[in-house]
Amino acid sequence: MAQHPDTSYSSKPGPWGDLLRDGRGVYTVSLSLGIALHATDTFIVSTVMPTVIADIGGAAFYAWVVMLYMTASILGAASGGPVKLMFGARRGYAAAGLVFLFGTILSASAPTMPVLLAGRLIQGFGAGMIVAQNVALIGELFPGNLRVRMIAVTSTVWAAAALFGPMIGGVFAQIGWWRGAFWFAVPIIVFFTVSAWRAIPDTRPARDVVIARFPIWRVALLGIGVLAIGATGNIEALATRLAAFAFGLALIWLTIRIDRGAENRVLPSRPFSLSGPVGTAYWAFLLIATAPMTVGIYLPLAYQTIHGLSPLAAGYLGALLALAWSVAALFTAMLHGGAVRAAMVGGPALSAIGLAGVALTITDAPVLVIAAFTVVTGTGVGLCMSHLMSWTMALAAPGEESITASSIHTIRSLGIAIGAAVAGLIANGAGLGSGVTTATVGAAVFWVTGVFTLAPIGVVGLAILLIWHRTRHAAAAQDAAQAAAPGD
């Protein structure tokens, strides 16, 4: 599959209607459906989990249902590039759908918690492969002036999932049939897999890539590292938690080091070097991913414990961040020129203001004020995220376009995993580990959101550096074009 010529430096993005013209409509639908599977599953499962525990038990593993899914999603994302390279775009994307389908069926029929955990592990792996290949296919199937538009469309899918996911899960929880929440998704996954097979162009796998070269040891090493970090939430002793966190970070660092010299890399070259544009962007992805994570984990708990709201009301108020993110992504997709650079810098600054506002108002302010700061946080992420993804694709090193795009989800998921572990350490240090009360929850949210305000502030600096990298990249491309032009 040929990479589209990069038109991301054009002064204005293409019309929205171009997403449906020239045969791109089937790509738009198929890629949006892939994101919908992952996004909707996230909201549905969190809603039905209390019903699951009441039926098959396993309360001690409540957090593991999410943690294993997230860990497997990171591994699936890391595998997305190699799978696409080995089997081609069509087969790789459809295979991811089949993996997700098998995990969903296993989860739906799980008689015990261990079987459910196995199903969620498989589901997460399939979801990670879908999302990673989704981002890579956006870079290959859409020209540069439409990529921000397409990324904005996938953001609206998350908004729809935030609206309808809790509702769907709530219906099945209300009737006491939690398995229906999984069976509900089966025909949709089948439709996605078939449509992916029909819609995605059939590309030949790379001739020099064989299954034996799949980066199984690097993926396994990465998985152990992420799992060690995620497990800190289930460890009571502070010293042990810190040791597990450090061990996990060390394994992730080792994976990146080993990956540098591999033929079939999981990450692009120099993935965290600030001297290059991709490394700068990856640091920004890593940090900006923590903003929605901190709000998503603890804010619903605060709404219920401190302000006495119902679980459904708390869930929907927590989902305001995703809705604001999506609306902002649609708005920022219409920007060009200097307005894009302003959004890249102003977006994370706005998120920092939102997080600081949540920290300062969580205990004493009315719910609507806290919700307003949540909207500010999500708006800031939405303003910068689409352009950050589009720029990363455009600034990838020659020959690394696909692996750079497909690994964006891996980096964002790593940010979520590391951020969740750090947030857990902060929350427990603030007193949440001693029991859920109004005082402990208020202190936990104050310190978690307050500390993580530093993350988007750091992204402001990274965005400025990325703008400098992009300016240099554009100047170099212009000089090369002039040098290649025939003389007068």
Side-chain angles (χ1 to χ4, degrees):
M1 185 186 305
Q3 184 85 10
H4 268 287
D6 180 27
T7 57
S8 58
Y9 293 109
S10 59
S11 60
K12 189 175 182 180
W16 286 101
D18 283 0
L19 293 176
L20 303 176
R21 297 190 181 101
D22 300 326
R24 286 187 288 266
V26 291
Y27 305 152
T28 299
V29 173
S30 183
L31 297 182
S32 298
L33 187 57
I35 294 294
L37 293 176
H38 171 55
T40 307
D41 176 88
T42 301
F43 289 102
I44 289 178
V45 172
S46 63
T47 306
V48 301
M49 271 309 297
T51 308
V52 173
I53 297 299
D55 182 27
I56 64 175
F61 295 95
Y62 190 101
W64 285 72
V65 173
V66 176
M67 187 183 70
L68 286 180
Y69 181 90
M70 181 183 68
T71 301
S73 174
I74 294 174
L75 301 186
S79 305
V83 166
K84 179 173 173 289
L85 185 65
M86 289 191 305
F87 300 111
R90 173 187 292 179
R91 293 173 181 84
Y93 203 47
L98 290 175
V99 173
F100 192 82
L101 175 63
F102 178 69
T104 302
I105 294 174
L106 184 61
S107 298
S109 55
T112 62
M113 179 56 73
V115 177
L116 178 62
L117 292 176
R120 293 295 287 165
L121 194 69
I122 297 171
Q123 268 191 303
F125 191 82
M129 284 201 298
I130 289 173
V131 177
Q133 294 182 77
N134 191 294
V135 178
L137 288 170
I138 289 176
E140 295 178 1
L141 299 176
F142 295 86
N145 64 336
L146 290 179
R147 289 174 194 161
V148 172
R149 300 286 206 203
M150 188 60 209
I151 294 169
V153 168
T154 60
S155 295
T156 62
V157 173
W158 274 97
L163 284 174
F164 296 106
M167 184 186 305
I168 295 170
V171 169
F172 286 108
Q174 187 68 34
I175 64 177
W177 188 42
W178 63 267
R179 300 178 190 277
F182 290 100
W183 289 119
F184 172 83
V186 167
I188 303 175
I189 301 170
V190 171
F191 175 76
F192 160 76
T193 305
V194 173
S195 66
W197 184 264
R198 294 175 63 88
I200 304 302
D202 187 16
T203 58
R204 294 179 178 271
R207 292 183 178 181
D208 59 339
V209 178
V210 294
I211 295 179
R213 293 186 179 181
F214 184 80
I216 184 170
W217 295 114
R218 274 171 286 143
V219 171
L221 197 63
L222 178 64
I224 295 172
V226 175
L227 194 61
I229 290 175
T232 57
N234 297 85
I235 300 174
E236 294 185 5
L238 178 60
T240 308
R241 295 185 72 176
L242 291 173
F245 183 75
F247 176 70
L249 286 181
L251 289 184
I252 293 173
W253 175 83
L254 181 60
T255 303
I256 295 172
R257 291 282 297 181
I258 296 174
D259 192 64
R260 290 180 182 177
E263 294 182 10
N264 54 335
R265 293 199 307 271
V266 171
L267 299 172
S269 56
R270 303 170 67 200
F272 289 105
S273 172
L274 293 177
S275 63
V278 172
T280 303
Y282 275 18
W283 275 111
F285 283 125
L286 200 69
L287 292 179
I288 200 65
T290 62
M293 180 278 306
T294 54
V295 173
I297 291 179
Y298 295 104
L299 202 53
L301 178 63
Y303 280 137
Q304 295 177 60
T305 305
I306 300 174
H307 299 280
L309 299 183
S310 69
L312 186 60
Y316 271 113
L317 283 176
L320 283 176
L321 186 141
L323 294 174
W325 179 339
S326 301
V327 172
L330 287 174
F331 167 77
T332 195
M334 298 182 288
L335 303 179
H336 58 90
V340 172
R341 294 188 289 274
M344 290 284 289
V345 176
L350 203 60
S351 286
I353 293 172
L355 287 175
V358 171
L360 295 173
T361 61
I362 191 62
T363 56
D364 300 322
V367 167
L368 290 180
V369 174
I370 302 169
F373 280 117
T374 305
V375 169
V376 171
T377 303
T379 299
V381 177
L383 284 175
C384 66
M385 184 62 75
S386 297
H387 293 292
L388 182 59
M389 293 177 68
S390 179
W391 283 20
T392 304
M393 296 179 198
L395 296 171
E400 295 186 355
E401 295 86 357
S402 182
I403 193 66
T404 298
S406 63
S407 58
I408 288 175
H409 180 66
T410 305
I411 301 303
R412 290 172 59 181
S413 298
L414 281 175
I416 293 172
I418 295 172
V422 173
L425 290 170
I426 296 172
N428 285 339
L432 190 62
S434 62
V436 176
T437 66
T438 300
T440 58
V441 171
V445 174
F446 171 79
W447 283 106
V448 168
T449 52
V451 170
F452 275 94
T453 299
L454 298 174
I457 291 175
V459 177
V460 171
L462 291 168
I464 294 172
L465 180 58
L466 187 60
I467 291 171
W468 179 75
H469 279 306
R470 178 177 163 131
T471 302
R472 290 185 61 209
H473 188 275
Q478 184 176 8
D479 291 344
Q482 292 177 348
D488 294 333

